[in-house]
Amino acid sequence: MSHAESYAPEALEGRVVLVVDATTGIGRIITIRLCAAGAKVAVVGAEHRGRGDDAATNAAFLCKELAEIGMIALPYRADIERADTFRTLPAQIAADLGSVAVCVVVIPAAPGTGERTAAYRSMSATVAAALPPGARHIEIDMADCTEGHEEAAHGLVDQLLHCRPQSC
């Protein structure tokens, strides 16, 4: 977690960011960088058939690691095959952390038929529709990502750091 010193702590101070599929790969990197920049992050481990681990447990462990170094992140669980779990997510997060200002959804590059990708896109649309007015929705499709995870995460967080709170 050496990335924690990379950003000024006040840059996103107090802003609530929802990160879906936040426990591995680019989602994890984005989560750590956002926390380091002062955001309060809702860490969602996206459950789905075929996942080889427990996303909710991964989210809890990541949040515990971040809390141990003074960052604010809370774990949430949602199942990409159950839209209702994403429809209610922004309201749950608002009750715990405050109104969601930004939502980042990582769509993994899924091998095979693309059913999982379609499920992620559907889930992303569901959560986007449930966001409060003015909240920003960002979708990262890993199939289109030509950069490495570190570079893509840097780019996204830098983009959020340089926009005014009213416009993000």
Side-chain angles (χ1 to χ4, degrees):
M1 288 204 205
S2 61
H3 309 300
E5 297 84 36
S6 299
Y7 299 102
E10 65 277 356
L12 290 171
E13 192 66 41
R15 304 229 352 254
V16 177
V17 182
L18 162 59
V19 182
V20 179
D21 207 16
T23 61
T24 61
I26 191 171
R28 182 181 178 89
I29 296 167
I30 289 168
T31 297
I32 292 167
R33 292 191 180 282
L34 288 169
C35 281
K40 296 186 283 187
V41 180
V43 177
V44 178
E47 296 285 348
H48 53 78
R49 274 182 281 139
R51 184 169 180 139
D53 60 1
D54 182 353
T57 300
N58 291 347
F61 280 131
L62 176 56
C63 291
K64 183 178 183 296
E65 288 175 27
L66 293 168
E68 287 173 353
I69 56 174
M71 296 181 187
I72 300 172
L74 291 180
Y76 295 87
R77 179 181 178 194
D79 186 332
I80 66 167
E81 295 166 11
R82 292 188 48 223
D84 60 307
T85 62
F86 284 96
R87 194 172 296 113
T88 60
L89 200 53
Q92 291 173 341
I93 293 165
D96 296 336
L97 294 171
S99 184
V100 175
V102 180
C103 172
V104 178
V105 178
V106 178
I107 298 178
T113 65
E115 287 179 29
R116 186 172 304 142
T117 300
Y120 267 87
R121 287 197 189 289
S122 176
M123 167 276 298
S124 182
T126 298
V127 76
L131 291 172
R136 185 169 179 192
H137 179 258
I138 301 168
E139 200 172 274
I140 301 172
D141 189 336
M142 294 308 297
D144 296 336
C145 190
T146 58
E147 305 174 301
H149 289 186
E150 285 280 340
E151 293 80 13
H154 275 286
L156 173 71
V157 175
D158 285 346
Q159 177 187 359
L160 293 173
L161 286 168
H162 294 103
C163 66
R164 293 187 309 273
Q166 307 91 302
S167 66
C168 297

